mmCIF file of all heavy atoms in Angstrom:
data_model
loop_
_atom_site.group_PDB
_atom_site.id
_atom_site.type_symbol
_atom_site.label_atom_id
_atom_site.label_comp_id
_atom_site.label_asym_id
_atom_site.label_seq_id
_atom_site.Cartn_x
_atom_site.Cartn_y
_atom_site.Cartn_z
ATOM 1 N N ILE X 1084 -54.414 57.178 52.930
ATOM 2 C CA ILE X 1084 -53.608 56.432 53.929
ATOM 3 C C ILE X 1084 -52.310 55.960 53.373
ATOM 4 O O ILE X 1084 -52.224 55.451 52.294
ATOM 5 C CB ILE X 1084 -54.476 55.058 54.245
ATOM 6 C CG1 ILE X 1084 -55.805 55.504 54.783
ATOM 7 C CG2 ILE X 1084 -53.731 54.228 55.252
ATOM 8 C CD1 ILE X 1084 -56.812 54.359 55.074
ATOM 9 N N ILE X 1085 -51.226 56.214 54.081
ATOM 10 C CA ILE X 1085 -49.948 55.784 53.837
ATOM 11 C C ILE X 1085 -49.401 54.805 54.730
ATOM 12 O O ILE X 1085 -49.464 55.117 55.990
ATOM 13 C CB ILE X 1085 -48.958 57.082 53.786
ATOM 14 C CG1 ILE X 1085 -49.390 58.035 52.703
ATOM 15 C CG2 ILE X 1085 -47.566 56.563 53.429
ATOM 16 C CD1 ILE X 1085 -48.617 59.338 52.596
ATOM 17 N N ILE X 1086 -48.922 53.633 54.281
ATOM 18 C CA ILE X 1086 -48.541 52.573 55.153
ATOM 19 C C ILE X 1086 -46.994 52.545 55.058
ATOM 20 O O ILE X 1086 -46.504 52.365 54.024
ATOM 21 C CB ILE X 1086 -49.056 51.173 54.960
ATOM 22 C CG1 ILE X 1086 -50.584 51.298 55.084
ATOM 23 C CG2 ILE X 1086 -48.483 50.251 55.766
ATOM 24 C CD1 ILE X 1086 -51.338 50.125 54.704
ATOM 25 N N ILE X 1087 -46.352 52.723 56.132
ATOM 26 C CA ILE X 1087 -44.829 52.577 56.119
ATOM 27 C C ILE X 1087 -44.481 51.423 56.963
ATOM 28 O O ILE X 1087 -44.886 51.299 58.137
ATOM 29 C CB ILE X 1087 -44.155 53.940 56.698
ATOM 30 C CG1 ILE X 1087 -44.673 55.099 55.928
ATOM 31 C CG2 ILE X 1087 -42.725 53.746 56.808
ATOM 32 C CD1 ILE X 1087 -44.126 56.378 56.565
ATOM 33 N N GLU X 1088 -43.625 50.497 56.289
ATOM 34 C CA GLU X 1088 -43.305 49.338 57.014
ATOM 35 C C GLU X 1088 -41.873 49.448 57.472
ATOM 36 O O GLU X 1088 -40.903 50.070 56.955
ATOM 37 C CB GLU X 1088 -43.313 48.067 56.047
ATOM 38 C CG GLU X 1088 -44.650 47.752 55.594
ATOM 39 C CD GLU X 1088 -44.770 46.479 54.735
ATOM 40 O OE1 GLU X 1088 -43.688 46.114 54.335
ATOM 41 O OE2 GLU X 1088 -45.780 46.035 54.396
ATOM 42 N N SER X 1089 -41.622 48.897 58.710
ATOM 43 C CA SER X 1089 -40.329 48.970 59.326
ATOM 44 C C SER X 1089 -40.223 47.624 60.209
ATOM 45 O O SER X 1089 -41.205 46.920 60.328
ATOM 46 C CB SER X 1089 -40.041 50.270 60.042
ATOM 47 O OG SER X 1089 -40.923 50.221 61.194
ATOM 48 N N GLN X 1091 -40.202 47.971 63.331
ATOM 49 C CA GLN X 1091 -41.117 48.342 64.453
ATOM 50 C C GLN X 1091 -42.483 47.912 64.196
ATOM 51 O O GLN X 1091 -42.870 47.696 63.003
ATOM 52 C CB GLN X 1091 -40.982 49.768 64.782
ATOM 53 C CG GLN X 1091 -39.581 50.206 65.079
ATOM 54 C CD GLN X 1091 -38.984 49.588 66.364
ATOM 55 O OE1 GLN X 1091 -39.753 49.403 67.253
ATOM 56 N NE2 GLN X 1091 -37.675 49.322 66.366
ATOM 57 N N PRO X 1092 -43.382 47.921 65.182
ATOM 58 C CA PRO X 1092 -44.819 47.508 64.986
ATOM 59 C C PRO X 1092 -45.344 48.445 64.028
ATOM 60 O O PRO X 1092 -44.961 49.591 63.980
ATOM 61 C CB PRO X 1092 -45.432 47.547 66.299
ATOM 62 C CG PRO X 1092 -44.309 47.345 67.250
ATOM 63 C CD PRO X 1092 -43.082 47.863 66.579
ATOM 64 N N GLN X 1093 -46.254 48.022 63.116
ATOM 65 C CA GLN X 1093 -46.853 48.856 62.043
ATOM 66 C C GLN X 1093 -47.616 50.023 62.674
ATOM 67 O O GLN X 1093 -48.363 49.868 63.625
ATOM 68 C CB GLN X 1093 -47.697 47.936 61.191
ATOM 69 C CG GLN X 1093 -48.162 48.785 59.901
ATOM 70 C CD GLN X 1093 -48.976 47.778 59.004
ATOM 71 O OE1 GLN X 1093 -49.898 47.053 59.530
ATOM 72 N NE2 GLN X 1093 -48.678 47.735 57.820
ATOM 73 N N THR X 1094 -47.444 51.133 62.071
ATOM 74 C CA THR X 1094 -48.012 52.406 62.509
ATOM 75 C C THR X 1094 -48.702 53.020 61.289
ATOM 76 O O THR X 1094 -47.997 53.156 60.285
ATOM 77 C CB THR X 1094 -47.123 53.331 63.241
ATOM 78 O OG1 THR X 1094 -46.545 52.745 64.274
ATOM 79 C CG2 THR X 1094 -47.771 54.614 63.768
ATOM 80 N N SER X 1095 -49.853 53.510 61.433
ATOM 81 C CA SER X 1095 -50.581 54.192 60.317
ATOM 82 C C SER X 1095 -50.601 55.718 60.618
ATOM 83 O O SER X 1095 -50.836 56.124 61.736
ATOM 84 C CB SER X 1095 -51.966 53.615 60.148
ATOM 85 O OG SER X 1095 -52.009 52.339 59.908
ATOM 86 N N VAL X 1096 -50.374 56.455 59.605
ATOM 87 C CA VAL X 1096 -50.478 57.992 59.718
ATOM 88 C C VAL X 1096 -51.635 58.378 58.809
ATOM 89 O O VAL X 1096 -51.615 58.025 57.652
ATOM 90 C CB VAL X 1096 -49.105 58.556 59.140
ATOM 91 C CG1 VAL X 1096 -49.220 60.068 59.302
ATOM 92 C CG2 VAL X 1096 -48.030 58.168 60.233
ATOM 93 N N VAL X 1097 -52.465 59.104 59.294
ATOM 94 C CA VAL X 1097 -53.691 59.592 58.476
ATOM 95 C C VAL X 1097 -53.585 61.165 58.362
ATOM 96 O O VAL X 1097 -53.444 61.831 59.280
ATOM 97 C CB VAL X 1097 -54.978 59.193 59.291
ATOM 98 C CG1 VAL X 1097 -56.057 59.678 58.372
ATOM 99 C CG2 VAL X 1097 -55.129 57.695 59.488
ATOM 100 N N LEU X 1436 -36.290 55.454 59.649
ATOM 101 C CA LEU X 1436 -37.593 54.812 59.972
ATOM 102 C C LEU X 1436 -38.253 55.188 61.333
ATOM 103 O O LEU X 1436 -39.357 55.358 61.489
ATOM 104 C CB LEU X 1436 -37.468 53.319 59.857
ATOM 105 C CG LEU X 1436 -37.205 52.771 58.430
ATOM 106 C CD1 LEU X 1436 -36.945 51.236 58.402
ATOM 107 C CD2 LEU X 1436 -38.418 53.136 57.556
ATOM 108 N N PRO X 1437 -37.345 55.158 62.462
ATOM 109 C CA PRO X 1437 -37.957 55.573 63.710
ATOM 110 C C PRO X 1437 -38.572 56.919 63.745
ATOM 111 O O PRO X 1437 -39.712 57.104 64.304
ATOM 112 C CB PRO X 1437 -36.808 55.553 64.679
ATOM 113 C CG PRO X 1437 -35.942 54.546 64.100
ATOM 114 C CD PRO X 1437 -35.973 54.841 62.631
ATOM 115 N N ASP X 1438 -38.101 57.905 62.905
ATOM 116 C CA ASP X 1438 -38.730 59.279 62.856
ATOM 117 C C ASP X 1438 -40.041 59.270 62.313
ATOM 118 O O ASP X 1438 -40.976 59.825 62.713
ATOM 119 C CB ASP X 1438 -37.768 60.172 62.139
ATOM 120 C CG ASP X 1438 -36.409 60.482 62.837
ATOM 121 O OD1 ASP X 1438 -36.405 60.258 64.044
ATOM 122 O OD2 ASP X 1438 -35.537 60.759 62.154
ATOM 123 N N ILE X 1439 -40.117 58.479 61.256
ATOM 124 C CA ILE X 1439 -41.483 58.280 60.579
ATOM 125 C C ILE X 1439 -42.426 57.552 61.585
ATOM 126 O O ILE X 1439 -43.714 58.012 61.648
ATOM 127 C CB ILE X 1439 -41.343 57.484 59.375
ATOM 128 C CG1 ILE X 1439 -40.388 58.192 58.254
ATOM 129 C CG2 ILE X 1439 -42.621 57.255 58.656
ATOM 130 C CD1 ILE X 1439 -40.191 57.522 57.076
ATOM 131 N N LEU X 1440 -41.997 56.688 62.255
ATOM 132 C CA LEU X 1440 -42.812 55.947 63.174
ATOM 133 C C LEU X 1440 -43.307 56.929 64.294
ATOM 134 O O LEU X 1440 -44.504 56.906 64.761
ATOM 135 C CB LEU X 1440 -42.178 54.701 63.788
ATOM 136 C CG LEU X 1440 -41.807 53.524 62.788
ATOM 137 C CD1 LEU X 1440 -41.084 52.482 63.487
ATOM 138 C CD2 LEU X 1440 -43.108 53.056 62.213
ATOM 139 N N MET X 1441 -42.341 57.732 64.783
ATOM 140 C CA MET X 1441 -42.735 58.686 65.836
ATOM 141 C C MET X 1441 -43.782 59.671 65.311
ATOM 142 O O MET X 1441 -44.663 60.183 65.864
ATOM 143 C CB MET X 1441 -41.539 59.468 66.321
ATOM 144 C CG MET X 1441 -40.701 58.517 67.298
ATOM 145 S SD MET X 1441 -39.379 59.353 68.119
ATOM 146 C CE MET X 1441 -38.374 59.821 66.738
ATOM 147 N N LEU X 1442 -43.496 60.088 64.032
ATOM 148 C CA LEU X 1442 -44.488 61.088 63.521
ATOM 149 C C LEU X 1442 -45.934 60.406 63.451
ATOM 150 O O LEU X 1442 -46.904 61.164 63.709
ATOM 151 C CB LEU X 1442 -44.042 61.438 62.041
ATOM 152 C CG LEU X 1442 -44.977 62.343 61.267
ATOM 153 C CD1 LEU X 1442 -45.104 63.749 62.011
ATOM 154 C CD2 LEU X 1442 -44.452 62.580 59.860
ATOM 155 N N GLY X 1443 -46.005 59.216 63.119
ATOM 156 C CA GLY X 1443 -47.362 58.490 63.102
ATOM 157 C C GLY X 1443 -47.961 58.440 64.503
ATOM 158 O O GLY X 1443 -49.193 58.308 64.604
ATOM 159 N N GLY X 1444 -47.178 58.388 65.606
ATOM 160 C CA GLY X 1444 -47.819 58.141 66.883
ATOM 161 C C GLY X 1444 -48.108 59.390 67.428
ATOM 162 O O GLY X 1444 -48.699 59.386 68.609
ATOM 163 N N MET X 1445 -47.787 60.579 66.971
ATOM 164 C CA MET X 1445 -48.194 61.811 67.583
ATOM 165 C C MET X 1445 -49.672 62.138 67.578
ATOM 166 O O MET X 1445 -50.188 61.822 66.600
ATOM 167 C CB MET X 1445 -47.353 62.955 66.891
ATOM 168 C CG MET X 1445 -45.800 62.794 67.082
ATOM 169 S SD MET X 1445 -44.913 64.005 66.187
ATOM 170 C CE MET X 1445 -45.609 65.543 66.981
#
Side-chain angles (χ1 to χ4, degrees):
I1084 299 175
I1085 297 175
I1086 300 175
I1087 299 174
E1088 295 181 350
S1089 68
Q1091 302 296 324
Q1093 190 175 45
T1094 302
S1095 298
V1096 178
V1097 179
L1436 293 176
D1438 294 339
I1439 297 174
L1440 293 176
M1441 287 188 294
L1442 177 60
M1445 293 177 62

